[in-house]
Amino acid sequence: MYDENPKSPFQPFILPVLGVLWIAVIVSIFKLNPYLFTRTTLSEQVQKNKEDWVKPFPSRQLQPELTEEALKPSKVSLAHYFKNNISPENDRISRKLNRIKKRTIPTPFDDKDPHWIKDNSQIIAWHPEKSHFVVYEKLQEEKAESEQESKEAAKEQEEEASDSAEIVKRWSFFFSTDEQHLIDRPELSQSLIFAASKANTLVAVDRTTGKLRWSLQLGHKLLWSPILINDKLWVSTQPANGNGTKVVLVEAESGEPLKDSLDWSFDLAIRPSLNEAKQALYLASKAGELQKYSLEENKFLWTHKGETPLTAPPIEVDGQVVFSNSDGVAMGLDVKTGEAKWDYKLKDPSHSSFVAVPDSPFIAILTDDGYLHTLNIKTGTGQWRFNTQSKAINQELFAVRLTNKDIEERELKWHYKGWVIWSPCVENRICMFNPEEGNMVGRLFTTGQIATPPLFEDALKDGFHLILKKFQDDKTTPKWELAEYIERSKFLRLTQKSRPKPQPKAEPQAEKSSENSSETKVNQEANE
Amino acid sequence: MEWIINNIWELKKSVSLRYLGFFLSLNHVITFFQWNQLYSQPEVGTQVVCWNFFPRCAEAAFVTGGGGALYTYLGLAVLSALLFLMGAAVASGAWTLLATTFALKLCIYLFDYRLYENIQVLLIFIELGFLLVPNKTGFTKAIFVGYFLTSGLGKISTEWLTGFVFEPLNLPTKTNEWLAALSVFCEFFFPFFILSSKLKRLSIGFAFLLAYQFFWGFAESFYPLAYTFFILCFFPIALWESGNIERNYVYRSFIRPEPSKAWAPIAFIIFIVVQALPIWIQSEWPITPVEVARASLPLECEQKSFAVYEDKVRLLNHNFENEPPSIRCHSKIRLSQLQQLCRSLKKEENFQTIFSQFASRSFSESQFSKIFEISDICKK
C-alpha cells in the first residue's frame, strides 16, 4: 500500500543501549537495597546505623578552653557520694556549738522546698519538679576577692561580719518549658554543673558565669543525672524499646557522645554508683540484683541475686558492700565475690544510703519511719536503734569527728577517734550519738527546720553550715537561711572581741540544751 | 511574530496537536481545583511561602485575596479548551488564550513555593514547548519520556527504596520495598514503549503507564494521575495521525514545509540538564522552579537555642512539628522565626540575645549536619 518509514541510522544501537540502561537500573536497585530478598527491611538497617543524638550545641569550636582541674569532680560530686556524709578527717568539731552568723538565701521556688547542694562558696537549689536550678553565692566573699585582700584579712572580715551578710543569686538556668523538670540532682565538677531534664536534654553550665557550655539532646529517655568519671559522663538512658539500660558515654568537656555505649539487659532501680577506688560501678536492677561492673575490664565481676530492689546506692566499708532493700532488709556482701555475709531486718525500709563511721565497725542508717539503726559490720548484728522522731526536711545522717576534749568529757573510747553519728531528731534538732552504745553525746538546737546535713567546707575550720527553713511573719511564706555554726569557745572569743561587754545572746537555748544533753543517755529500750 | 505564526500554523494543520492543546487546557482546570483546595484550607491557605528569589512576600497576597486570580485562571482555561475543540479555524484564538492562561499560571506558581510539585514541572515544560517550540509532537514525546527518566533517576535512592511512599496502603514493609523497586524499573522501562510507531508496543507502554499512574493515584493523589492521563492520551492520537499522514503520502505528492526534527533531542537534552543542575549546584531550595523534586522522606531537623539574660540562661523550645514537612526544615524559615523571637524577647527584662543552632539529616544519613550556628542572632 505504502512504503514503510525509512529506518533510522541509530536503530541498531537503541536496543543494546536500552539493555545496558535497564541492567544498570536493576544493579543500582539491588546495590542500594541488598535486603530485597531477605526478611530484613531496609528501614531497620538504616535506623540501626543512626546516631540517636544531635551534636552538642554550642559546638566544640565555640566552647571556651577548660583547664584539667575544671573537669575534676567536685567534692560533692555524685562520684564521691559515699564520702559526702563524713566530715573531713582533720576537722574536729566540738559538740558544743553556737550559731555565729545567718545569711538569708533568696527563695528559689515559690511552691516547692528546694534541695540544696553547697560546694564551698556556691549554693545550688534544685527540685525534681522544677525546670530550673539556681546558683547563689556569698556577696562578701566576692567583695574580698575583688579587692584582692589577703586570705587572712578576708577570713577576719568574714568572722567579724554581721548577721546581715548577704547571699545573692548569681545566676539561674532554665530548661525550655515548665514540663522539662530536672530528673535528678545535678552533677558537679570543679567548674561545671551537669544537669539532665525530662525532655532528655543534658546540659553543662559554667559554675561561675552560668553560661551554657554545651547542651546535648539524646534520643533516649534519661534516667538519672550523669556521673562524672575520668572526664567522661556516664549517662544512664532507657533504650527506644523500653527494655534494659543503655549507658551513653559523653565527653564532659565538649558534650560529644562517644561511640562506645554499654547495653545492659536489666532495668536499673537506682542511679549507678561508683566504688571507693573508682574502678567499678554498682548496678542495682529492678529485679533485685546487685552487680559489680569493672570499669577497667568492662565486664561484670559478680552478681548478687536478690528478690527486692535496692532503695539507695550501696557503700563499700571494710571489704564489704552494704545496702538495704525495699523490704527493709540490710545486707553485707563480700566486695570481691558478692557473697552474702549477713543480713539484718530494719524496722522499715530506707531511701538513704548507709553511713560508715570511720575507724569503727559501725554503720548507720535512718529508716523512712525515723528510726536510726546502727549495725556492726563485722557481725552483721544490730548495735542499737533509736526513734529520732525527726521532722527535718533533710533525713541524712552524718559521721562527725569530735574533739579530744569531747572524747574525754563523754567518755568515748579513744580507739574510735571521736567519731559520732549526727542525726536530725525531733523538731529543729541534731542529735549526736555514740555509735557504739547509742547514748546521746550532744544536741544542737536550730532556729528552723533542718534542710541539709551539716555542710563542711575548707574555708570554715571548726565549724559548718546548715540551711534552715523558717517562715516569714505571715507564718506561711518560707524563707531560707544559711546558718554558720562554730565551736562555742571560739564564738565567745569572737563576740567578746567585737563587743566590749559580752552579751552572748545568740542561741541561749542551744547552749542550755547542749549542757543538758550531757546528762541524757539514750538507748533503744529507753526510747521505746 | 513570524515565530508565533509558524507555531499557530503547526497547530492548525495537526488534529493531534489541537487535542494536546485541549488536554493542556483541561490540565489547567484540574490545576485550578488542586490549588484552590490548598487556598481553601483556613490554617495554611493564607500563608503564602515565597520563593527565595523574591525579596518581599507581600506581593504574593493577590493569589490568596479571595481567589480572584485563581478564578480568572479557571475561566481562561475553560475558554481555551472550548476553542481547541472548535477546530483549526479558531486555533489562533485558542493559542492566545492558552498562552494567557499559562502566563497567569506561572505568575501564581512562582509566587508560592507550596505549589511546587513534580508534575507541574512536566506540564510547564510541555506547555512552553507547545506554545513556542516547533515540532511540537516530537517535543512533547521527548519531554514526557525525559520526565519519567529523571523521576526514575531521582528514585534510585535508599530513601525511596524503603518504600516509605507506599505506607498509606498499609501493606507489609517488604511489599512496600518491592513496590518501590518495581516503580523505579517501571519509570525506566515503559516510557520507551510509547515512543514506538508500532501500535502493539505503544499499547503495552500506554496500558502499563496508565496502570502505574492509577496505582499512584491510590498511593498518593489523583491529581498527577489526571495530568499524565491526558498527556498519555496524546500518544495514540499522534500515532493515528502519523498513520494518516503516511497514507496521504501515497496520494499527495506536494512538498510540505516541516519543522526541524532537531527540536526534540534539543528539548530532551535541555530538560535533562535542567534536572541535573542540583547535582552540581548544592542548594537547600530547588535550583529552579522547573526542577523535578526528588522523591525523598522529609528531612529530620533539630533546632536548639538558648536565650541569654543578664542573670539567667533559658533553653528555648522550638516546636515546628506542625509545620508542613516541605518547609519545616528550611533554614531561612527557622532564621526568620528566630528574629521574630528576638523581637518578642526584647520586651523581657534583662534579655540580651539568642544563641541558636540548626541541624538536619536525611533519612539515609546517620549523623545530623549543622546548617547554622549563630551566637548572637539578635544583633545580626
Side-chain angles (χ1 to χ4, degrees):
Chain A
M1 195 99 166
Y2 51 85
D3 290 340
E4 285 196 359
N5 280 340
K7 282 191 176 176
S8 158
F10 300 110
Q11 203 154 11
F13 303 104
I14 290 175
L15 264 182
V17 168
L18 284 180
V20 170
L21 175 72
W22 292 335
I23 289 167
V25 169
I26 292 168
V27 169
S28 305
I29 289 171
F30 279 94
K31 207 171 175 187
L32 285 168
N33 185 0
Y35 313 103
L36 263 177
F37 285 106
T38 63
R39 289 188 173 196
T40 316
T41 63
L42 183 61
S43 304
E44 284 170 0
Q45 289 303 316
V46 174
Q47 292 294 347
K48 263 187 196 172
N49 298 328
K50 283 198 169 194
E51 287 181 351
D52 50 8
W53 57 75
V54 187
K55 286 201 175 297
F57 152 71
S59 52
R60 191 189 281 263
Q61 298 86 342
L62 295 173
Q63 296 168 1
E65 289 286 316
L66 274 185
T67 59
E68 266 185 41
E69 193 65 24
L71 287 173
K72 286 191 177 159
S74 135
K75 69 174 185 180
V76 293
S77 157
L78 294 168
H80 297 151
Y81 76 96
F82 47 85
K83 280 192 171 169
N84 286 349
N85 286 26
I86 300 173
S87 70
E89 197 175 349
N90 298 329
D91 286 3
R92 294 188 153 217
I93 306 294
S94 169
R95 68 191 175 91
K96 295 173 183 173
L97 297 152
N98 271 84
R99 193 192 70 192
I100 177 101
K101 274 178 255 178
K102 63 174 182 183
R103 296 180 173 94
T104 303
I105 307 171
T107 306
F109 314 125
D110 294 334
D111 52 345
K112 299 282 177 201
D113 286 351
H115 298 259
W116 301 95
I117 306 168
K118 186 168 188 308
D119 189 16
N120 288 329
S121 62
Q122 280 191 331
I123 301 166
I124 300 153
W126 69 280
H127 193 276
E129 288 177 31
K130 286 285 168 189
S131 61
H132 69 286
F133 55 94
V134 188
V135 172
Y136 300 95
E137 272 178 15
K138 285 187 222 165
L139 188 64
Q140 291 210 335
E141 282 183 358
E142 185 198 49
K143 275 183 186 171
E145 277 171 17
S146 66
E147 289 161 12
Q148 294 185 336
E149 289 176 6
S150 69
K151 269 189 176 177
E152 278 184 21
K155 198 176 171 187
E156 200 171 315
Q157 187 187 356
E158 189 178 326
E159 281 174 352
E160 288 172 6
S162 70
D163 278 2
S164 62
E166 260 191 291
I167 289 177
V168 291
K169 185 174 119 180
R170 176 63 65 199
W171 53 265
S172 51
F173 183 88
F174 286 72
F175 284 100
S176 32
T177 60
D178 288 344
E179 287 76 40
Q180 287 193 20
H181 301 155
L182 268 76
I183 55 168
D184 196 7
R185 175 196 194 277
E187 169 67 314
L188 272 76
S189 81
Q190 297 292 343
S191 297
L192 299 172
I193 295 178
F194 304 99
S197 85
K198 278 190 179 168
N200 310 328
T201 310
L202 193 63
V203 295
V205 185
D206 187 293
R207 284 181 61 172
T208 318
T209 61
K211 280 189 178 168
L212 179 72
R213 179 168 181 83
W214 53 258
S215 130
L216 178 68
Q217 184 64 48
L218 286 158
H220 298 153
K221 184 185 173 191
L222 289 170
L223 298 172
W224 285 283
S225 256
I227 305 175
L228 182 59
I229 307 171
N230 300 332
D231 298 347
K232 292 183 189 72
L233 294 170
W234 285 58
V235 188
S236 311
T237 66
Q238 191 177 58
N241 61 16
N243 298 322
T245 307
K246 184 186 179 86
V247 174
V248 180
L249 301 180
V250 174
E251 269 186 28
E253 185 181 8
S254 63
E256 294 270 359
L258 302 174
K259 290 280 176 201
D260 305 323
S261 61
L262 305 169
D263 290 292
W264 296 324
S265 57
F266 50 88
D267 295 336
L268 284 174
I270 51 169
R271 183 196 302 138
S273 46
L274 195 62
N275 76 339
E276 195 163 353
K278 296 185 181 174
Q279 291 164 338
L281 280 175
Y282 288 108
L283 309 164
S285 75
K286 283 184 181 170
E289 291 172 332
L290 177 66
Q291 307 191 64
K292 187 174 183 180
Y293 183 83
S294 166
L295 296 175
E296 289 170 343
E297 300 168 52
N298 285 326
K299 67 173 189 183
F300 289 100
L301 299 174
W302 50 255
T303 301
H304 165 75
K305 290 194 184 298
E307 286 174 2
T308 45
L310 273 67
T311 44
I315 61 162
E316 274 184 9
V317 195
D318 202 16
Q320 289 186 34
V321 188
V322 291
F323 56 89
S324 69
N325 62 26
S326 56
D327 285 344
V329 176
M331 289 191 86
L333 309 180
D334 186 291
V335 82
K336 285 183 182 161
T337 62
E339 188 188 338
K341 291 201 155 191
W342 52 264
D343 59 72
Y344 180 82
K345 182 81 175 85
L346 302 170
K347 202 147 184 338
D348 203 47
S350 170
H351 283 83
S352 309
S353 293
F354 273 99
V355 170
V357 181
D359 300 315
S360 80
F362 306 119
I363 53 172
I365 193 166
L366 192 64
T367 56
D368 294 346
D369 62 354
Y371 268 85
L372 168 60
H373 288 259
T374 302
L375 280 68
N376 186 321
I377 198 166
K378 285 190 176 159
T379 58
T381 52
Q383 192 75 8
W384 52 270
R385 70 180 181 196
F386 173 66
N387 186 359
T388 62
Q389 297 173 37
S390 167
K391 291 183 174 65
I393 298 166
N394 165 67
Q395 292 290 343
E396 288 178 60
L397 299 179
F398 221 87
V400 179
R401 196 174 179 192
L402 296 183
T403 59
N404 285 348
K405 192 181 168 193
D406 291 323
I407 297 173
E408 214 171 303
E409 276 180 14
R410 305 307 300 154
E411 296 173 356
L412 299 172
K413 287 180 181 163
W414 284 100
H415 60 268
Y416 291 144
K417 297 183 180 175
W419 287 100
V420 293
I421 301 162
W422 285 22
S423 166
C425 60
V426 200
E427 198 169 7
N428 304 347
R429 244 177 272 181
I430 288 177
C431 298
M432 305 169 194
F433 296 97
N434 175 353
E436 188 185 22
E437 295 171 11
N439 56 319
M440 201 182 290
V441 295
R443 274 189 293 181
L444 172 68
F445 280 71
T446 60
T447 51
Q449 265 184 290
I450 300 162
T452 60
L455 306 164
F456 293 89
E457 64 183 66
D458 302 338
L460 184 62
K461 290 277 176 196
D462 313 322
F464 57 90
H465 289 109
L466 276 178
I467 294 178
L468 304 173
K469 181 185 180 184
K470 296 170 91 171
F471 288 94
Q472 290 178 4
D473 298 338
D474 61 4
K475 293 186 179 175
T476 54
T477 313
K479 65 173 185 177
W480 302 89
E481 271 181 12
L482 180 73
E484 186 178 317
Y485 290 86
I486 57 167
E487 213 172 281
R488 183 174 306 145
S489 56
K490 196 175 173 187
F491 170 80
L492 293 172
R493 199 175 65 242
L494 283 170
T495 45
Q496 277 167 0
K497 192 178 162 188
S498 59
R499 294 169 196 161
K501 290 178 183 177
Q503 291 175 341
K505 284 197 291 185
E507 292 293 321
Q509 195 184 7
E511 193 176 338
K512 190 181 167 192
S513 305
S514 298
E515 290 300 322
N516 291 343
S517 69
S518 63
E519 300 301 317
T520 314
K521 177 142 180 159
V522 188
N523 56 28
Q524 178 194 343
E525 290 76 27
N527 276 279
E528 287 191 316
Chain B
M1 199 61 191
E2 188 66 27
W3 184 275
I4 291 170
I5 291 166
N6 286 340
N7 275 285
I8 293 171
W9 176 81
E10 199 180 337
L11 290 182
K12 279 185 177 174
K13 73 181 185 61
S14 167
V15 179
S16 65
L17 284 181
R18 287 202 299 277
Y19 269 109
L20 182 60
F22 171 69
F23 293 146
L24 291 174
S25 303
L26 280 187
N27 276 341
H28 283 303
V29 176
I30 296 164
T31 306
F32 161 80
F33 286 109
Q34 190 184 7
W35 289 359
N36 195 43
Q37 197 178 28
L38 176 73
Y39 286 118
S40 308
Q41 290 171 16
E43 286 172 9
V44 292
T46 52
Q47 294 171 356
V48 171
V49 180
C50 286
W51 289 82
N52 61 341
F53 43 73
F54 282 109
R56 289 186 304 275
C57 214
E59 295 90 336
F62 82 97
V63 290
T64 57
L70 266 184
Y71 282 102
T72 312
Y73 170 64
L74 172 68
L76 288 171
V78 171
L79 274 177
S80 113
L82 287 173
L83 286 185
F84 272 113
L85 280 181
M86 285 178 183
V90 288
S92 54
W95 184 93
T96 314
L97 271 175
L98 186 65
T100 318
T101 316
F102 178 66
L104 187 54
K105 175 184 181 168
L106 273 187
C107 284
I108 300 170
Y109 177 78
L110 293 180
F111 269 121
D112 198 341
Y113 172 67
R114 297 171 305 164
L115 305 179
Y116 168 77
E117 275 182 89
N118 293 13
I119 202 74
Q120 293 297 344
V121 172
L122 171 71
L123 296 177
I124 286 168
F125 258 94
I126 288 181
E127 200 162 340
L128 194 69
F130 179 83
L131 290 169
L132 298 172
V133 180
N135 190 10
K136 300 179 192 312
T137 307
F139 179 94
T140 306
K141 285 179 177 177
I143 297 295
F144 198 59
V145 171
Y147 167 75
F148 275 110
L149 293 184
T150 46
S151 169
L153 207 59
K155 288 183 171 76
I156 303 182
S157 69
T158 309
E159 284 166 277
W160 178 265
L161 292 172
T162 58
F164 74 91
V165 82
F166 301 106
E167 277 169 12
L169 298 175
N170 294 321
L171 297 168
T173 313
K174 200 35 96 182
T175 313
N176 290 346
E177 282 185 14
W178 271 103
L179 287 175
L182 287 173
S183 71
V184 175
F185 193 72
C186 265
E187 296 200 2
F188 275 100
F189 193 72
F190 293 113
F192 294 105
F193 280 68
I194 53 169
L195 291 180
S196 174
S197 54
K198 301 270 190 286
L199 183 63
K200 193 176 163 187
R201 286 182 199 160
L202 187 137
S203 305
I204 291 171
F206 181 84
F208 272 94
L209 283 179
L210 200 62
Y212 176 66
Q213 294 300 327
F214 259 103
F215 179 71
W216 270 119
F218 281 112
E220 254 192 345
S221 155
F222 277 94
Y223 287 111
L225 164 68
Y227 294 130
T228 45
F229 172 73
F230 285 126
I231 297 169
L232 265 176
C233 287
F234 165 72
F235 283 79
I237 297 170
L239 183 71
W240 165 78
E241 190 182 41
S242 107
N244 276 349
I245 292 167
E246 297 295 340
R247 279 191 290 276
N248 286 342
Y249 273 133
V250 180
Y251 307 109
R252 294 179 190 178
S253 57
F254 58 85
I255 299 167
R256 300 174 301 157
E258 285 292 333
S260 167
K261 286 194 174 175
W263 285 106
I266 289 171
F268 181 79
I269 290 165
I270 291 173
F271 185 79
I272 296 291
V273 168
V274 168
Q275 304 312 313
L277 273 181
I279 297 169
W280 292 291
I281 306 169
Q282 297 292 324
S283 167
E284 195 184 344
W285 288 79
I287 290 300
T288 66
V290 286
E291 179 206 346
V292 174
R294 302 289 174 269
S296 60
L297 280 165
L299 284 176
E300 191 183 347
C301 50
E302 282 284 345
Q303 187 172 12
K304 280 274 162 198
S305 309
F306 59 89
V308 183
Y309 296 76
E310 274 174 22
D311 59 344
K312 71 177 178 185
V313 170
R314 181 158 66 93
L315 280 181
L316 298 173
N317 194 24
H318 294 285
N319 189 8
F320 42 80
E321 292 305 309
N322 297 330
E323 290 183 18
S326 56
I327 59 167
R328 183 185 302 158
C329 294
H330 198 286
S331 64
K332 288 197 174 87
I333 289 173
R334 300 272 69 88
L335 268 172
S336 86
Q337 286 191 350
L338 275 175
Q339 279 157 352
Q340 212 175 339
L341 192 61
C342 268
R343 285 193 286 276
S344 65
L345 286 179
K346 271 179 182 166
K347 291 168 195 162
E348 291 184 17
E349 202 181 348
N350 297 331
F351 171 75
Q352 290 179 329
T353 189
I354 293 176
F355 195 136
S356 185
Q357 185 196 60
F358 181 67
S360 68
R361 69 176 169 192
S362 67
F363 175 77
S364 52
E365 287 174 320
S366 62
Q367 291 185 336
F368 280 90
S369 310
K370 190 167 65 184
I371 309 296
F372 65 73
E373 186 170 27
I374 304 170
S375 58
D376 195 354
I377 190 101
C378 298
K379 285 187 185 168
K380 285 183 178 166

